[in-house]
Amino acid sequence: MTQGATKNHHHTATKPSAIRWTVMAAYAAALTTSTMTFLTYATVTSGVRVDFGVSEASVGNLALLSPLFLVLLGAVSGRFLDRRFDTTLAVGAAMIAVGPLLRLVDPSSYGWALAGQVLITAGTPFVANAITKYPARYFSAQERPTVIALLSAAFYLGVLLAAVTGQPLYECGGITLLVGVHAAVGTAAGVALLIMVTVVRVPVAVVDPEPAVARGHLRRTRELWMLAGVMFVLFGLFNAFITWIETVQDHLGNAGFGGPLVIALTLGGVTGAITIPGLAARRDARRTALIVISVVQVFGFLAFAATGNQVILLVLAVVVGFFMMAALPIAFEWSEIHAGIANAASATAFLTIVGNLGGVVFVLAPQMFLDTPRVIFVLLAALSIPGVLAALRLPPTPTPHLIAA
């Protein structure tokens, strides 16, 4: 459990091992590189479509596989991580390690790119949904908010690396260099995690002696649904921003400025994900933090609609990202407290599924307004309001283990 009003129901099994930090670093690297590799083609779509001989939409669909598999395999991955943690995480690590290598068979082949992408994105849920289970098993209650925050930041770092490496690598050596470098990094991180899980076995430091929460009941709790509502909006805003910001800026006369804004949003987000969750946990102010984060999104996107000044837009992107991406680790840590260690991965998977559904909705909604770009920002601000309402309906502090089996 964490500090504040929540009680500590967990028992220490063994003295925490120092090696757990090394395993955490390997896990964080795998989160970063799996995100980077599934976004390999996202920043160079117009160029690689020529290499592949397909349409831009077909190239774009390669990135859409990730949210698709996170939805389709979310519940299954959560269940297996809760029941067979080490084995399931090892399978996921192997998949994200082998996937980038498949694309190297023929970097200019869309078929091999698709095969590798399927393996990477199908393996991602079995890795990403351990983001609360791993800290819950190996770290104390006081350490957990920090660890979850660092792991969440690792995900956003992957987005940032994809954004800053894609175009330069492609310009230097074409699709072969781009795919090769991403394969080397992605495979190395996947293999490192696989070794850590299968060879370097970290003793479980914290066990949960209470009966496991009934998973079916867990998904019916209002508390988890309110967290899911916040995630639906914030995942949606992030996906919509990185999908449409280039198009919007082109219409506003800032051609090519979408990339810098994505980088600014992500840099702010990594900083926020590292700093805000720990502060909120120490002060037992998670609900307050989620309310503030949600309100900032509403006014932040209205501010985006009001200006075309590049300096102001960059500052707005940093501020909005700083708050936006801090919500993920806060919600994940809250769900672990609510579900308990036994079902931490299932709770995380549920939030991830709903969040990715939000990503789809928020990406589709602006399509009818592409010719009036400022309206897109107003629309996204309006769609953010339910996130505020969901945060307001959360209890003052996380409620642990209310739903016994």
Side-chain angles (χ1 to χ4, degrees), residues 142-405:
Q142 291 72 30
E143 295 170 321
R144 246 170 262 158
T146 299
V147 175
I148 294 173
L150 290 172
L151 294 176
S152 300
F155 161 75
Y156 294 122
L157 182 60
V159 177
L160 181 62
L161 286 177
V164 300
T165 63
Q167 193 67 42
L169 288 172
Y170 188 75
E171 290 177 355
C172 287
I175 193 170
T176 301
L177 181 63
L178 172 63
V179 171
V181 170
H182 280 205
V185 176
T187 299
V191 170
L193 178 60
L194 183 61
I195 292 172
M196 287 294 177
V197 173
T198 58
V199 180
V200 184
R201 293 184 173 273
V202 182
V204 176
V206 183
V207 296
D208 188 351
E210 300 181 10
V213 174
R215 289 181 181 86
H217 292 168
L218 176 66
R219 290 191 292 271
R220 291 198 294 269
T221 66
R222 184 185 130 185
E223 194 165 333
L224 197 61
W225 274 101
M226 292 304 102
L227 287 173
V230 175
M231 289 295 94
F232 182 90
V233 169
L234 293 172
F235 266 71
L237 287 173
F238 179 73
N239 283 14
F241 188 92
I242 64 174
T243 300
W244 297 119
I245 192 62
E246 188 69 61
T247 301
V248 168
Q249 291 305 309
D250 285 349
H251 278 81
L252 292 175
N254 290 327
F257 196 58
L261 287 177
V262 170
I263 293 172
L265 183 91
T266 310
L267 280 172
V270 170
T271 306
I274 292 172
T275 56
I276 295 179
L279 182 63
R282 286 193 297 272
R283 299 189 176 186
D284 200 22
R286 300 172 186 85
R287 176 177 178 268
T288 300
L290 290 175
I291 292 171
V292 171
I293 288 167
S294 300
V295 170
V296 167
Q297 303 313 305
V298 176
F299 288 100
F301 276 84
L302 288 175
F304 276 127
T307 183
N309 182 280
Q310 293 187 356
V311 174
I312 296 176
L313 286 171
L314 283 172
V315 173
L316 280 173
V318 171
V319 172
V320 168
F322 180 81
F323 287 95
M324 177 191 291
M325 300 183 192
L328 185 71
I330 294 173
F332 281 163
E333 192 227 353
W334 189 313
S335 72
E336 182 272 318
I337 296 171
H338 184 57
I341 294 176
N343 291 322
S346 293
T348 299
F350 177 70
L351 296 184
T352 303
I353 290 170
V354 176
N356 278 282
L357 289 174
V360 173
V361 170
F362 275 63
V363 167
L364 293 177
Q367 291 189 11
M368 65 185 73
F369 302 106
L370 293 181
D371 291 331
T372 53
R374 295 191 190 278
V375 174
I376 292 178
F377 287 128
V378 176
L379 173 65
L380 293 175
L383 291 174
S384 303
I385 294 174
V388 179
L389 299 178
L392 286 168
R393 295 193 65 186
L394 285 165
T397 59
T399 309
H401 302 282
L402 276 189
I403 338 103

Side-chain angles (χ1 to χ4, degrees), residues 122-140:
T124 296
F126 298 95
V127 175
N129 285 329
I131 199 169
T132 57
K133 187 79 172 182
Y134 178 78
R137 283 164 59 96
Y138 302 116
F139 290 87
S140 69

Side-chain angles (χ1 to χ4, degrees), residues 12-28:
T12 300
T14 63
K15 182 180 179 180
S17 170
I19 195 68
R20 66 209 167 111
W21 289 102
T22 305
V23 179
M24 191 209 78
Y27 178 53

